[in-house]
Amino acid sequence: QLVESGGGSVQAGGSLRLSCSVARTTHVTLCLAWFRQAVGTEREGVATIGGDNVRTYADSVKGRFTISRDIGGTTLYLRMTMLKAEDSAMYYCALAPRVALSNPLSASYYRIWGAGTQVTVS
């Protein structure tokens, strides 16, 4: 139900926009999020948007990344700017069957995951 796109290779300081296609059968007011995982590390929450449109960001990306979704709720975006080498990872889109979460950056809440899109910053 979730399909990511938009990953690629970029130089440090550059920008990318990731997209995640969300199946139309998915309720538009559920929590959506971006996670990332680099080789040898645990999956970490990057940015989330609740059904109430409350946004949460990891400290490491605040001021650089922006999460958004279209009005119909069928596409989730992650705009990434001022990219750093440490942003290199596989990025995953995820959905939680809740409108709001007490700890939205925790992967344990999310039940549906995309296959991921690779981002490499050099």
Side-chain angles (χ1 to χ4, degrees), residues 47-61:
T48 75
I49 183 167
D52 51 6
N53 281 327
V54 172
R55 293 163 171 80
T56 304
Y57 296 94
D59 289 342
S60 59
V61 306

Side-chain angles (χ1 to χ4, degrees), residues 53-120:
N53 281 327
V54 172
R55 293 163 171 80
T56 304
Y57 296 94
D59 289 342
S60 59
V61 306
K62 281 181 181 176
R64 301 189 298 122
F65 290 13
T66 303
I67 189 170
S68 63
R69 58 181 162 195
D70 66 354
I71 295 175
T74 58
T75 307
L76 179 72
Y77 301 101
L78 184 68
R79 176 67 175 168
M80 305 185 294
T81 65
M82 297 181 285
L83 283 162
K84 306 174 182 179
E86 50 264 43
D87 295 318
S88 297
M90 185 72 80
Y91 281 71
Y92 299 91
C93 176
L95 183 146
R98 300 274 293 276
V99 173
L101 299 169
S102 58
N103 185 12
L105 292 174
S106 172
S108 63
Y109 289 111
Y110 296 85
R111 295 291 178 261
I112 300 174
W113 295 81
T117 185
Q118 179 68 41
V119 172
T120 303

Side-chain angles (χ1 to χ4, degrees), residues 7 10 16 26 35 39 52 76 93 120:
V10 64
L16 280 175
T26 302
F35 286 78
V39 174
D52 51 6
L76 179 72
C93 176
T120 303

